Amino acid sequence: MADLQNPDLCIIGAGALGIGLALRARRLGANVMLVDRGAEEPGDPAQGRLVATAFATSASRAQLMHDARPFGLAPAEPKPSFKAIGERARALAASTAPRDAASRLTALGIDCRAGQPIFTGRQTFKLGETTIRAGHIILATGARPVIPTIPGLDEATYFTPDTIAANSRKLTHLVVIGSDASAIELAQAHRRLGAAVTLVPQGDILPGFDREQVAILLRQLTQEGLEIAEGASVTRIVPRRQGTGVDLTHADGSDHSLDASHLLISMGRIPDFDGLVLDRAKVRFDKARPGFLQLNTDGRTSNSRIHAVGGAAGQGQSHASARYGAAIVDRLFGNGSSRPDPALIPLLLQTEPGLATIGLVEGERPLPAGTLVLRASFAENDMARALGQTHGAAKLIAGGKGQILGASIIGPGAGEAIAMLALAMDRAMPAQGLADLVLPHPSFAAILSQLGEAFLAARQPGAWQKRSQALRKLLG
């Protein structure tokens, strides 16, 4: 007789996101089942971000060795061992793996299962011989890299952001095709570790970020030796006995060919629903975006019992996925009823300098009347000056009454500073309040105080302020 299970919540996908949501739902008292599909969720392995960060850190150290002369130190040409770099990253991941192990999750009350789920109805799916009928289902299945249709690519060997971490050899000339966050981050890291790197964006570079600040980043990457073929498109891949030919067509119509030792394809992701048979669950796909689900603002599919989050919902950044997923769990099993405001969730690029943005972006659309656009430079930040990282600036978009409408930062500590601004926006702190922040000195975050001071300097005093100032002058 087939086994029947009835959990309150079933999460399909045991990547970092799925594990985090299972723990959250369990803390709220839900009976939770977590389904591991038998392989790492694409784009969301349990320790994947730690591995990527460890690799980027090694690249950063190599760059510091190369750029030591301004600090009174003899520069040294780094001699990276990709094998040792990979071993360090894997060791760090292994040290945190027990935190996400099925045995620990089971001890915390989560029912961990493994296998390929196959939907059989609106609330039911088969897992081997077991039928699962869950009160609610969350798809946290990750998203696989998009592989473009380029003549010759199917005959070539190439990396994706999911496979390049396993590489243990120095790359002579890496051609990166794509312009998403992973493309830029990996291109910089491999250049710093000694590879010649050419980036072919195949379209707009980093859409959604401030264009002025993107230009600053690209200039810095170029100074580090990264070749960027802006406006060019890859027209053909030509596999060779040694290396690979990459044919380009530039915006002016001219042609160019590159000799690559390796290729990296990083052109975004598409949800991975392989084997689920979602049509049996009456889950509809978005006709305008083939491969993506039809979702409402709550992440709910056309089946009210099934939600999608993270890569399954087309969400590209892990912190955003975690926020949206937490809101779903809280609505289902907690007291949460509010929806995350997309304007309060920042975008972040973990390069050096870092690039981050939140809310309105200058130049994306006309700003409301009376809006102020304020700037502060890292060249005036003592910590940035001491570390020689003055290439960058912060930009604040504020309404006439001081409401913070958006911000963009390129420079050291961009991620931490944008997180503080996200909190300020969520708490409705006015721009002038930034001037009163008590911040350590020196610190990168002090640039927020500069923005607050800039607002106070730019704001015209109102009639009452003018009368008050005149009265104090008479009495003084």
Side-chain angles (χ1 to χ4, degrees):
M1 181 176 178
D3 187 16
L4 177 64
Q5 299 290 314
N6 300 94
D8 299 327
L9 173 66
C10 180
I11 298 173
I12 298 177
L17 177 62
I19 292 171
L21 297 182
L23 289 169
R24 189 181 189 94
R26 188 71 194 104
R27 285 195 297 269
L28 292 173
N31 180 1
V32 182
M33 178 181 290
L34 178 65
V35 177
D36 183 340
R37 297 197 293 166
E40 291 184 340
E41 290 299 335
D44 186 38
Q47 289 84 39
R49 196 66 222 182
L50 177 56
V51 171
T53 302
F55 182 80
T57 301
S58 294
S60 178
R61 291 295 178 93
Q63 190 68 21
L64 288 173
M65 293 170 62
H66 186 273
D67 294 341
R69 191 178 300 280
F71 301 92
L73 304 171
E77 196 61 38
K79 298 178 180 179
S81 165
F82 276 72
K83 182 174 182 292
I85 290 171
E87 287 174 349
R88 174 180 179 270
R90 288 188 289 274
L92 287 172
S95 69
T96 63
R99 177 187 62 194
D100 302 320
S103 56
R104 174 177 178 267
L105 299 177
T106 300
L108 293 172
I110 296 169
D111 183 1
C112 296
R113 303 290 181 99
Q116 174 60 57
I118 301 173
F119 277 91
T120 57
R122 290 183 60 86
Q123 286 179 255
T124 59
F125 62 88
K126 294 276 288 185
L127 197 64
E129 295 299 316
T130 302
T131 297
I132 314 296
R133 181 179 177 84
H136 296 278
I137 298 169
I138 294 179
L139 302 176
T141 51
R144 63 182 184 274
V146 170
I147 306 302
T149 303
I150 299 175
L153 182 60
D154 57 345
E155 303 172 25
T157 300
Y158 55 84
F159 293 119
T160 70
D162 291 353
T163 62
I164 197 167
N167 172 60
S168 61
R169 301 173 62 184
K170 180 180 176 180
L171 309 181
T172 306
H173 182 197
L174 177 66
V175 173
V176 181
I177 301 174
S179 60
D180 62 5
S182 293
I184 308 298
E185 292 167 357
L186 289 167
Q188 182 183 45
H190 280 275
R191 176 68 194 106
R192 290 178 158 194
L193 290 171
V197 179
T198 301
L199 175 69
V200 186
Q202 294 283 91
D204 292 338
I205 300 179
L206 300 173
F209 288 93
D210 183 275
R211 306 322 299 166
E212 180 183 355
Q213 296 187 342
V214 168
I216 294 173
L217 174 63
L218 297 183
R219 186 163 60 248
Q220 179 65 24
L221 295 177
T222 301
Q223 289 175 357
E224 291 187 10
L226 185 67
E227 296 287 338
I228 303 175
E230 284 195 78
S233 297
V234 177
T235 55
R236 179 173 293 276
I237 303 297
V238 185
R240 298 172 180 163
R241 182 171 297 179
Q242 289 189 333
T244 303
V246 181
D247 293 342
L248 307 180
T249 297
H250 294 274
D252 61 5
S254 62
D255 296 325
H256 181 214
S257 185
L258 300 171
D259 291 318
S261 65
H262 297 82
L263 301 176
L264 168 63
I265 309 298
S266 186
M267 297 186 64
R269 293 179 177 273
I270 187 167
D272 180 14
F273 302 124
D274 286 353
L276 294 181
V277 199
L278 287 173
D279 58 316
R280 294 180 184 172
K282 308 302 180 185
V283 172
R284 289 195 287 269
F285 283 79
D286 190 336
K287 294 180 180 179
R289 302 175 70 202
F292 290 81
L293 296 178
Q294 186 182 101
L295 300 172
N296 71 0
T297 55
D298 294 334
R300 191 171 67 244
T301 69
S302 53
N303 179 339
S304 62
R305 295 286 181 172
I306 300 177
H307 289 73
V309 69
Q315 296 156 359
Q317 298 214 315
S318 57
H319 60 275
S321 300
R323 180 68 186 90
Y324 285 114
I328 292 171
V329 170
D330 290 352
R331 281 197 301 274
L332 294 177
F333 302 105
N335 297 320
S337 58
S338 61
R339 298 172 176 84
D341 184 350
L344 299 181
I345 299 178
L347 292 175
L348 175 62
L349 185 71
Q350 294 187 339
T351 48
E352 288 186 346
L355 179 61
T357 189
I358 188 170
L360 293 184
V361 176
E362 186 183 24
E364 204 170 65
R365 60 178 183 269
L367 298 175
T371 300
L372 295 172
V373 179
L374 309 162
R375 291 172 170 81
S377 172
F378 277 100
E380 300 171 11
N381 180 281
D382 287 350
M383 178 63 83
R385 289 166 64 89
L387 295 179
Q389 299 180 25
T390 57
H391 298 289
K395 183 184 293 187
L396 189 76
I397 300 176
K401 295 182 179 180
Q403 63 273 35
I404 301 174
L405 304 176
S408 298
I409 301 174
I410 180 167
E416 287 74 11
I418 211 73
M420 294 176 68
L421 285 170
L423 181 62
M425 293 172 68
D426 186 58
R427 299 295 188 269
M429 174 190 285
Q432 56 266 38
L434 298 176
D436 297 326
L437 290 175
V438 180
L439 298 168
H441 181 80
S443 70
F444 295 130
I447 202 165
L448 301 181
S449 296
Q450 291 176 247
L451 290 171
E453 296 288 352
F455 177 81
L456 291 173
R459 186 178 60 174
Q460 296 296 321
W464 169 251
Q465 288 177 300
K466 290 179 180 179
R467 287 196 295 269
S468 178
Q469 289 170 1
L471 179 61
R472 284 199 300 271
K473 190 173 182 179
L474 286 173
L475 295 175

